[in-house]
Amino acid sequence: MVIAVNEAAEQYLFDFEKEQPEIVAESRDELKLKLGGFAGPLDLLLFLIKQEKANIFDIPIAKITDEYLKYIRLMKSLDIAVAADFLVMAATLIEIKSKMLLPREPAQEAEEEFEDPREELIQQLVEYEKFRAAAEMLYEKSTIEQAIFTRGRIETDDNNSEINATVFDLLNVFQKVLLRFKEQVKLEIEREEISLAEMIDRVKSRLRSSGEVLLTDFFSELRSRRELVTAFIAVLEIVRTEKVSLKQNRTFGEIILRSV
Amino acid sequence: MTENVQENNEAELTEGQSNTAKSPAEIMAAAEAIIFVSDEPVTTKILSEVLGESREMVEAALEMLKNEYASRESGLQLREIAGGWQIATRAELHETVRKFLKRSPSAKLSIAALETLAVIAYKQPVTIPEILEIRGVQSASAIRTLLEKRLIVTKGHRETVGRPMQYGTSKEFLIQFGLRDLSDLPSIEDFQDLVSANLENQ
Amino acid sequence: MTENVQENNEAELTEGQSNTAKSPAEIMAAAEAIIFVSDEPVTTKILSEVLGESREMVEAALEMLKNEYASRESGLQLREIAGGWQIATRAELHETVRKFLKRSPSAKLSIAALETLAVIAYKQPVTIPEILEIRGVQSASAIRTLLEKRLIVTKGHRETVGRPMQYGTSKEFLIQFGLRDLSDLPSIEDFQDLVSANLENQ
């Protein structure tokens, strides 16, 4: 998606042809608006420094701060939510700028190592740019890798339900189970208990559709002790009144309810 | 007889064809790659369409490829099955292959087993009725799988009515999931920041 | 294609030895079949166990097999990735394969996610505050994306105040970025040189 650049915005120094404004949404929940796809304040800062053809070890702080603030204002004028980290950087820049403007005290000047107010920011930028370059390297590697394909499915492949689980999956799954559990409890409270007549109908319709009912399966679907008792009575009632039989192939084997 | 739209297509097509005049070796390589990535046997018709080569050319290439597989005593074979071509292991190697497949990595779990494992990991020591209550589904076969894969162990009986067996995770579980000990298991609080970041942006 | 006749004869000869030690050609064929059926890269350790051959024998066979794939202009390649061996298509054939699969390249990671991944890859095990310090921006949702894509995993708690969770890259990361192992990554200092060279030129 491209944001229309209004006339007011054109006065700014940005080369909008080159830096296409766009909304980069990594995921629905991250919908973070970024102009020109800046990954953060350091990214933007590096861009401005390069645009000014300035030396990173001798940043023209007043100029860069102005550019940076213009950019933030532009984002706001375009109704783009400015992430807090961009504002923190703006404050840092203003602070450095004001420190640079302060006249140096003679005593300070005499000190062997005058501490440049920009020093920390420079270190941060240099460190950041290394990882920025590493990110580009990863991008290239993944692009190459996407040109390589592994084999299609073959018979011996496991069912696709099998997953190679990580600890993160474990926690995610646990949270899902807990959520389901809570909803189920809520449902049970809301739902009225099933009557004997309804239970008899349920067993009968199951018998009609499949000819037989595996009792352990049927009982395991039930959600409360009372339902279980109701189901048990229902089965006895059906055996008494309908043409059905209860079968068990061996002692402790499956009990099957079957139409005769 | 050509309409405007078709003219366009034709122009593109012929351009494409002139670019893709392939040598037999190239057709063989491309066909091999396609058959390899396919989930199902690939017909010569499809190969001919994708490669933009005649059926005859494709068939000749496949015959050569098949002979190549056979002559270099490969572990694989190219074979015609169900009207299509497929790459498969050679029948003589089935025993070796079966031996390999038997030892599948134990971190691979079905959803049911993973759910059960998650409940046991976070609620241990826990009994089967408790797992049933949380999951809302019978977990007997999942527990059996987890015991077989040695991801869980029994942790003695609970001293309540019926003295149900308690379960917990094993040392193997720690190894499989790359944990030093159970305190390494991430808690919901650990991901709170990640979750709240999501909520803020929604 | 006829170059293989000699090999053929050799293989036949050694096949006569039946149950005793396998010939290099037999090890090559068996390894090829196993690597083919496996749904993830196979380590030489596993191959050596399944085949009952020494690691050295297996490694030598794999090298030969790799060269064989390269020398006949196959559509496939045998390669080392994520600490194991895998058969995959050759990169040059990606257009043809994609045309057949009717699949466009999968969604790329955002710059934010790639940056975060780079920091985690080079600084692991690393905590969220440390990532923030380097990137200068909150990385919560990028981390979530990377966790969901299984490119990173949790690496236990750091034993400092607040016991923050540590993160590191996964095997899936190696696979998706085509790396044999983490040492396959260029050194971060190389980027330093690159960056300072660029900056000083300006």
Side-chain angles (χ1 to χ4, degrees):
Chain A
M1 186 177 161
V2 174
I3 300 163
V5 180
N6 59 32
E7 281 173 314
E10 279 174 25
Q11 57 177 300
Y12 292 103
L13 287 167
F14 277 90
D15 181 2
F16 278 99
E17 290 307 309
K18 215 174 84 204
E19 289 293 323
Q20 276 293 323
E22 59 178 341
I23 294 175
V24 179
E26 189 173 324
S27 56
R28 197 60 222 140
D29 47 40
E30 200 216 13
L31 196 73
K32 219 177 245 172
L33 301 171
K34 292 172 196 158
L35 221 56
F38 292 110
L42 293 170
D43 194 14
L44 171 56
L45 216 48
L46 276 179
F47 170 77
L48 295 174
I49 291 167
K50 276 181 189 157
Q51 188 181 251
E52 286 299 311
K53 295 190 167 48
N55 181 349
I56 195 170
F57 295 106
D58 187 20
I59 304 169
I61 205 78
K63 178 93 178 132
I64 295 295
T65 304
D66 288 352
E67 294 285 317
Y68 189 92
L69 293 178
K70 266 187 202 167
Y71 182 86
I72 300 289
R73 262 179 242 125
L74 172 64
M75 281 169 97
K76 286 193 163 167
S77 77
L78 291 174
D79 264 346
I80 294 171
V82 179
D85 300 299
F86 281 88
L87 301 177
V88 171
M89 179 57 75
T92 308
L93 287 171
I94 292 167
E95 196 194 337
I96 297 172
K97 186 179 157 189
S98 60
K99 273 189 187 160
M100 299 283 287
L101 290 173
L102 283 178
R104 275 184 233 164
E105 286 172 29
Q108 219 173 8
E109 214 155 358
E111 273 176 43
E112 226 174 80
E113 276 199 26
F114 164 68
E115 205 197 317
D116 192 329
R118 299 171 297 182
E119 186 57 31
E120 206 185 315
L121 182 65
I122 290 167
Q123 286 312 319
Q124 209 183 355
L125 277 170
V126 169
E127 182 74 358
Y128 168 73
E129 184 144 54
K130 277 194 293 183
F131 289 96
R132 178 70 219 233
E136 272 163 36
M137 175 273 299
L138 287 180
Y139 178 83
E140 278 161 26
K141 280 202 181 294
S142 79
T143 307
I144 293 169
E145 202 49 34
Q146 285 200 345
I148 296 168
F149 298 81
T150 52
R151 68 158 168 76
R153 294 191 61 76
I154 55 172
E155 271 175 53
T156 52
D157 282 348
D158 299 317
N159 300 330
N160 40 14
S161 63
E162 299 259 316
I163 49 171
N164 235 331
T166 66
V167 172
F168 183 64
D169 294 316
L170 218 53
L171 181 73
N172 254 343
V173 162
F174 182 59
Q175 280 180 295
K176 266 183 212 148
V177 171
L178 284 185
L179 208 71
R180 202 174 63 203
F181 175 61
K182 277 181 202 152
E183 276 166 11
Q184 190 188 309
V185 169
K186 220 171 81 190
L187 258 174
E188 263 168 33
I189 293 167
E190 284 167 0
R191 192 183 50 198
E192 284 198 35
E193 286 291 342
I194 187 163
S195 71
L196 180 60
E198 282 169 331
M199 190 62 89
I200 290 172
D201 283 348
R202 211 153 114 187
V203 179
K204 276 187 187 166
S205 78
R206 186 77 68 94
L207 263 177
R208 242 177 282 126
S209 63
S210 49
E212 60 176 42
V213 176
L214 270 171
L215 290 190
T216 42
D217 277 3
F218 185 68
F219 288 157
S220 72
E221 291 165 16
L222 304 174
R223 287 160 187 275
S224 70
R225 196 165 295 232
R226 188 184 295 177
E227 269 192 23
L228 208 63
V229 173
T230 314
F232 190 65
I233 298 170
V235 169
L236 293 180
E237 191 62 19
I238 289 168
V239 171
R240 200 172 61 83
T241 58
E242 307 286 317
K243 290 194 169 173
V244 295
S245 67
L246 274 177
K247 277 195 180 142
Q248 189 176 29
N249 292 335
R250 58 193 155 80
T251 326
F252 302 123
E254 285 279 12
I255 299 174
I256 302 161
L257 186 65
R258 196 174 282 154
S259 321
V260 188
Chain B
M1 86 164 251
T2 45
E3 293 165 36
N4 278 339
V5 182
Q6 265 186 334
E7 236 167 42
N8 261 341
N9 286 344
E10 269 182 4
E12 267 169 39
L13 263 179
T14 44
E15 200 186 338
Q17 268 168 359
S18 66
N19 279 340
T20 55
K22 291 187 183 79
S23 71
E26 281 173 320
I27 300 175
M28 278 166 69
E32 190 180 15
I34 290 172
I35 294 167
F36 177 75
V37 299
S38 176
D39 287 340
E40 284 154 29
V42 189
T43 61
T44 48
K45 183 168 173 285
I46 288 176
L47 284 170
S48 132
E49 280 166 18
V50 174
L51 299 174
E53 299 286 341
S54 71
R55 290 276 281 270
E56 292 70 34
M57 283 290 275
V58 170
E59 269 158 27
L62 287 169
E63 277 310 321
M64 280 196 283
L65 195 60
K66 184 180 163 179
N67 292 335
E68 197 187 83
Y69 268 78
S71 67
R72 73 182 163 93
E73 290 283 314
S74 160
L76 308 176
Q77 56 172 323
L78 182 71
R79 63 175 182 187
E80 236 181 321
I81 187 169
W85 292 79
Q86 144 188 107
I87 296 172
T89 54
R90 270 210 348 259
E92 302 91 289
L93 294 164
H94 279 185
E95 206 178 307
T96 310
V97 168
R98 212 172 297 132
K99 196 171 158 196
F100 166 75
L101 288 173
K102 261 204 230 158
R103 40 166 309 156
S104 59
S106 31
K108 287 209 166 176
L109 298 169
S110 67
I111 299 289
L114 186 62
E115 274 190 16
T116 308
L117 182 60
V119 173
I120 293 173
Y122 281 99
K123 290 275 182 183
Q124 60 187 305
V126 65
T127 65
I128 292 187
E130 285 169 341
I131 300 170
L132 167 65
E133 197 184 338
I134 295 177
R135 284 193 63 220
V137 211
Q138 293 288 350
S139 309
S141 69
I143 286 170
R144 212 176 310 126
T145 309
L146 295 172
L147 282 169
E148 273 165 19
K149 293 193 185 241
R150 289 190 214 155
L151 292 169
I152 59 167
V153 286
T154 55
K155 293 269 181 189
H157 295 277
R158 173 84 50 88
E159 291 309 330
T160 54
V161 187
R163 302 185 74 241
M165 185 56 85
Q166 302 180 117
Y167 295 88
T169 53
S170 65
K171 200 171 167 190
E172 179 65 22
F173 166 80
L174 295 178
I175 296 169
Q176 288 287 340
F177 284 85
L179 303 166
R180 270 169 308 178
D181 50 54
L182 281 176
S183 74
D184 261 3
L185 206 60
S187 67
I188 292 163
E189 289 74 40
D190 285 321
F191 293 110
Q192 212 75 72
D193 295 344
L194 306 188
V195 173
S196 56
N198 284 342
L199 292 176
E200 274 166 32
N201 288 331
Q202 263 168 7
Chain C
M1 281 142 266
T2 43
E3 287 167 324
N4 292 324
V5 175
Q6 263 191 329
E7 241 177 49
N8 208 357
N9 288 339
E10 268 176 10
E12 265 167 41
L13 273 174
T14 45
E15 237 166 7
Q17 291 173 343
S18 71
N19 277 339
T20 54
K22 291 189 184 75
S23 72
E26 282 173 316
I27 300 175
M28 277 165 70
E32 189 179 16
I34 290 172
I35 294 167
F36 175 80
V37 297
S38 174
D39 55 6
E40 56 181 11
V42 189
T43 61
T44 47
K45 183 167 172 284
I46 288 178
L47 285 170
S48 134
E49 281 167 21
V50 173
L51 299 175
E53 297 287 339
S54 71
R55 291 275 280 269
E56 292 70 33
M57 283 292 276
V58 170
E59 269 159 26
L62 288 168
E63 278 309 321
M64 280 197 283
L65 194 58
K66 183 179 163 180
N67 293 336
E68 197 186 86
Y69 268 80
S71 64
R72 70 183 166 96
E73 283 164 35
S74 164
L76 308 177
Q77 57 172 322
L78 180 70
R79 62 175 191 160
E80 264 184 288
I81 190 168
W85 292 80
Q86 178 191 66
I87 299 172
T89 60
R90 277 213 338 266
E92 303 91 284
L93 295 165
H94 74 273
E95 265 175 61
T96 309
V97 173
R98 221 167 257 146
K99 192 172 162 196
F100 168 74
L101 291 173
K102 299 191 179 83
R103 200 189 291 160
S104 46
S106 56
K108 294 259 163 73
L109 290 169
S110 68
I111 301 172
L114 278 168
E115 270 185 23
T116 308
L117 187 58
V119 175
I120 294 172
Y122 281 99
K123 292 273 181 181
Q124 59 187 309
V126 66
T127 65
I128 291 184
E130 288 168 340
I131 300 169
L132 168 66
E133 202 180 314
I134 293 174
R135 290 196 58 225
V137 65
Q138 295 290 338
S139 309
S141 52
I143 288 168
R144 204 182 165 86
T145 304
L146 296 172
L147 279 168
E148 276 163 3
K149 290 188 184 283
R150 293 159 192 275
L151 294 171
I152 60 169
V153 288
T154 58
K155 291 275 184 187
H157 296 99
R158 175 81 51 88
E159 293 308 332
T160 54
V161 188
R163 300 186 78 240
M165 186 53 87
Q166 304 178 115
Y167 297 89
T169 52
S170 65
K171 191 169 163 189
E172 187 61 26
F173 164 75
L174 296 176
I175 291 175
Q176 287 202 19
F177 289 83
L179 300 164
R180 256 176 298 184
D181 50 51
L182 282 176
S183 69
D184 226 11
L185 281 174
S187 145
I188 194 73
E189 302 316 319
D190 292 344
F191 292 114
Q192 174 118 58
D193 297 342
L194 201 81
V195 168
S196 40
N198 275 339
L199 292 171
E200 275 155 25
N201 283 342
Q202 280 177 358

